[in-house]
Amino acid sequence: MFGLLDGLPAGALTVLAGYATLLVVPGPSMMMVAVAGLSSPARGAAAALGVATGTGILVFAMSLVWSLNGIATEFSTAAPLLFSVTLLYLGQRLLWRSLQHGTEAKAVARRPDQGGFLTGLATALTNPIGLALFSTASTNLNGGGGSVVAACGCIFLMAVMWFLLIAHLSGRIGASAIPQPARAMIGGGAGIVLVVIATWTALDVLTELRLL
C-alpha cells in the first residue's frame, strides 16, 4: 500500500484521512459485515470483500463523473433510495432469520457465503455517507496531478483490511459458545436498526423531493 503513496494526487491524503475516520465509525456497512461474520466466517469475508469492492468502484466513479452535473444530481438522488431499499431488504431478512434461527443455521451450513459479496457491494455502492464523502473529495482526487487509480487502490486496501478484520473478529465471536437464541437476538436487533435507518433515509429523500 505504501508504494502507492508516491503516485497519489496532491489532495489524496486528506481524502484517505477522512475515509479512515469514516471507517472506524459504526455504520450500516460495519453492521452488515459483523452480522454476516457472526453467521459464518466465509459469509463475513465475502461481505467484507463486497464492501471494499463497492467502495473502490464508488470513489473511482465519483472521480470520473462528478463533473457532469446532470448525472451527479440524478445519482445523488437515486443512490440514497437504493441504499434504503438495500437496507430494508437486509433488515427484513435478519428479522426473519432471527425468528427462524434453526432453519438459518442449516442454510448457513449448506451455503456459507451465499449473498455476502453482492450484499456488501450493493451496500457500499449506494451508501449516501460514502457518496457524500467521495463526491466532495473528487475535487482533491482530480487536482494536483497523480493517479486517481492509485488513490482508489489505497481506499480499497484500507476498506478490505478493516472489514476483513471486522469479519474475522465477529467470526471468532460467532464460533464461541454463544447460544443460538442469543445469536438470533443479535441478528434481530441488527435487523431492526437497519430497517430504521432505511426508513429514515427514504423519508429524508422523499422530503427533499417534496413528495411528503
Side-chain angles (χ1 to χ4, degrees):
M1 175 177 175
F2 294 103
L4 295 174
L5 295 179
D6 295 334
L8 291 178
L13 292 180
T14 302
V15 178
L16 295 179
Y19 184 59
T21 304
L22 181 63
L23 277 178
V24 299
V25 177
S29 295
M30 184 185 296
M31 183 181 302
M32 185 267 299
V33 172
V35 172
L38 282 174
S39 63
S40 162
R43 179 177 290 176
L49 291 173
V51 170
T53 302
T55 302
I57 293 173
L58 180 63
V59 64
F60 184 71
M62 289 297 97
S63 67
L64 291 180
V65 306
W66 201 255
S67 59
L68 305 176
N69 293 327
I71 296 177
T73 301
E74 292 177 3
F75 187 74
S76 64
T77 301
L81 290 175
L82 293 174
F83 180 73
S84 64
V85 170
T86 301
L87 292 193
L88 188 62
Y89 170 73
L90 293 176
Q92 64 86 19
R93 285 190 65 182
L94 288 174
L95 287 171
W96 177 251
R97 288 172 181 173
S98 69
L99 298 175
Q100 304 289 331
H101 54 81
T103 304
E104 168 62 12
K106 295 178 182 178
V108 169
R110 290 196 303 267
R111 305 179 70 176
D113 60 343
Q114 181 182 14
F117 179 84
L118 292 178
T119 299
L121 183 69
T123 302
L125 283 175
T126 58
N127 190 337
I129 301 175
L131 175 63
L133 172 65
F134 296 130
S135 63
T136 303
S138 62
T139 303
N140 292 333
L141 294 180
N142 286 313
S147 171
V148 173
V149 175
C152 295
C154 286
I155 291 172
F156 170 80
L157 290 176
M158 290 171 63
V160 77
M161 288 188 293
W162 175 253
F163 287 111
L164 282 177
L165 175 62
I166 297 298
H168 172 72
L169 294 176
S170 60
R172 291 285 298 272
I173 295 172
S176 63
I178 299 178
Q180 186 63 34
R183 298 187 194 183
M185 289 182 62
I186 294 173
I192 292 173
V193 172
L194 291 180
V195 169
V196 170
I197 294 174
T199 303
W200 178 82
T201 303
L203 290 175
D204 185 59
V205 174
L206 293 176
T207 301
E208 289 185 2
L209 295 176
R210 298 181 179 179
L211 297 178
L212 288 179

